[in-house]
Amino acid sequence: QVQLVESGGGLVQSGGSLRLSCAASGINRRFNNMGWYRQAPGEQRELVAVISSGGSTNYADSVKGRSTISRDNAKNTVYLQMNSLKPEDTAVYYCNAQLVTWKSFDYWGQGTQVTVSS
């Protein structure tokens, strides 16, 4: 059974940095895309950043220039380095991994809370 476990969330002051990690287990194949989403209270879940198996990246405009997504395919782990954090970055951050075989399978982590104080 595939499991995604996030870590690295917490409370940080405005302008600070955090590094989120998401480790996948229960699979011996490389995911196609891995990414991070976030959901603030009362809001819909939104894409933060995504990285393909080949290393291509895409970022939400709100975090572009402040965040870097990376992955270690050997460890099936994806990271999100977030700098210059703002209070509006406060949300639960979810890891997502996509595996495409005969159809697309999406896996989600349990989420990690990021709180940015002003």
Side-chain angles (χ1 to χ4, degrees), residues 7-21 36 48 66-69 79-86 89-91 93 112-117:
S7 60
L11 173 64
V12 63
Q13 287 189 333
S14 182
S17 298
L18 281 176
R19 188 187 192 219
L20 306 183
S21 299
W36 291 92
V48 177
R66 301 188 293 121
S67 297
T68 303
I69 189 170
Y79 307 95
L80 182 67
Q81 176 69 43
M82 300 188 292
N83 302 320
S84 302
L85 283 162
K86 306 175 182 179
D89 293 316
T90 295
Y93 284 69
T112 185
Q113 177 71 46
V114 171
T115 303
V116 184
S117 63

Side-chain angles (χ1 to χ4, degrees), residues 8-105:
L11 173 64
V12 63
Q13 287 189 333
S14 182
S17 298
L18 281 176
R19 188 187 192 219
L20 306 183
S21 299
C22 172
S25 62
I27 187 170
N28 59 3
R29 297 187 60 168
R30 182 180 299 182
F31 291 108
N32 296 85
N33 293 324
M34 300 186 79
W36 291 92
Y37 290 70
R38 67 185 182 187
Q39 188 168 19
E43 302 290 334
Q44 289 191 331
R45 191 173 297 189
E46 63 176 4
L47 174 70
V48 177
V50 63
I51 184 168
S52 72
S53 59
S56 299
T57 59
N58 191 31
Y59 296 91
D61 287 342
S62 58
V63 304
K64 200 172 292 183
R66 301 188 293 121
S67 297
T68 303
I69 189 170
S70 60
R71 64 189 285 176
D72 184 335
N73 290 326
K75 297 181 179 179
N76 252 342
T77 299
V78 62
Y79 307 95
L80 182 67
Q81 176 69 43
M82 300 188 292
N83 302 320
S84 302
L85 283 162
K86 306 175 182 179
E88 50 263 44
D89 293 316
T90 295
V92 178
Y93 284 69
Y94 296 91
C95 173
N96 171 265
Q98 184 184 63
L99 181 66
V100 180
T101 55
W102 56 279
K103 73 171 190 176
S104 178
F105 296 88

